[in-house]
Amino acid sequence: EIVTISDPVYPAALRDLYDPPPFLFLKGTIIDSDSRAMAMVGSRNATEYGRSTATRIAGDMARYGVTVVSGMALGIDAAAHEGALGAGTTLGVMGTGLDRVYPARHRELAHRIAANGALVSEFPPGTPPTAQNFPRRNRIISGLSLGTLVVEAALRSGSLITARYAA
């Protein structure tokens, strides 16, 4: 599905970004309660402790009706999505077209997210994973969220870029 910035389904919080995407590609369903969302991001090379902590906290947030938003990456992002899926909904924001799951090993995770939340991208189908796409993805993660929880991040990381968008 494609939604434009004037569509009622377009997340209201994204309209407040300094450069909101004029349209979004969606697979799944965005619901009213997704306006109560928190981002959870962190290291792709997370420790087992970091992944288990992210899974537990995301599950707790989802049980309390908070939608967990993350970026489908390895490590903390995947753990956050997994935790939320066990208890509620999650939004997976992609730095590719919706037909290009990255990393490819997250295809099954993407299917589950689309069935229990939504996959979101500003990139048209066929867009490959390129470095410049991920900071743009991060601003959408932040824009969909009331706040950002960073779990295990390096000082120079996309996770901290996402958190700075929220500041």
Side-chain angles (χ1 to χ4, degrees):
E1 175 179 13
I2 300 172
V3 296
T4 67
I5 197 166
S6 61
D7 192 308
V9 175
Y10 191 97
L14 285 182
R15 289 187 186 105
D16 294 335
L17 286 177
Y18 69 93
D19 62 343
F23 52 86
L24 294 172
F25 296 89
L26 299 177
K27 184 173 185 181
T29 306
I30 292 184
I31 56 177
D32 289 342
S33 63
D34 290 338
S35 64
R36 294 187 310 272
M38 285 289 293
M40 185 178 292
V41 296
S43 177
R44 289 181 306 246
N45 300 309
T47 64
E48 179 55 38
Y49 178 76
R51 287 189 303 273
S52 66
T53 299
T55 300
R56 180 180 46 80
I57 292 172
D60 289 345
M61 289 192 304
R63 273 187 281 288
Y64 283 100
V66 175
T67 298
V68 176
V69 180
S70 201
M72 298 283 300
L74 296 172
I76 297 302
D77 288 19
H81 290 304
E82 291 288 354
L85 284 169
T89 62
T90 185
L91 301 176
V93 183
M94 298 173 63
T96 62
L98 294 180
D99 61 332
R100 302 281 302 261
V101 175
Y102 180 79
R105 70 170 128 174
H106 284 173
R107 276 195 183 97
E108 190 271 331
L109 176 62
H111 290 298
R112 289 189 296 133
I113 291 170
N116 296 285
L119 297 172
V120 179
S121 180
E122 71 176 307
F123 301 106
T127 302
T130 60
Q132 68 267 18
N133 293 0
F134 293 95
R136 291 178 61 188
R137 174 206 63 183
N138 294 348
R139 89 182 194 297
I140 294 174
I141 292 170
S142 178
L144 288 169
S145 307
L146 296 173
T148 303
L149 176 61
V150 178
V151 180
E152 289 190 343
L155 288 176
R156 294 181 52 122
S157 68
S159 300
L160 295 182
I161 291 170
T162 304
R164 279 193 287 273
Y165 277 115

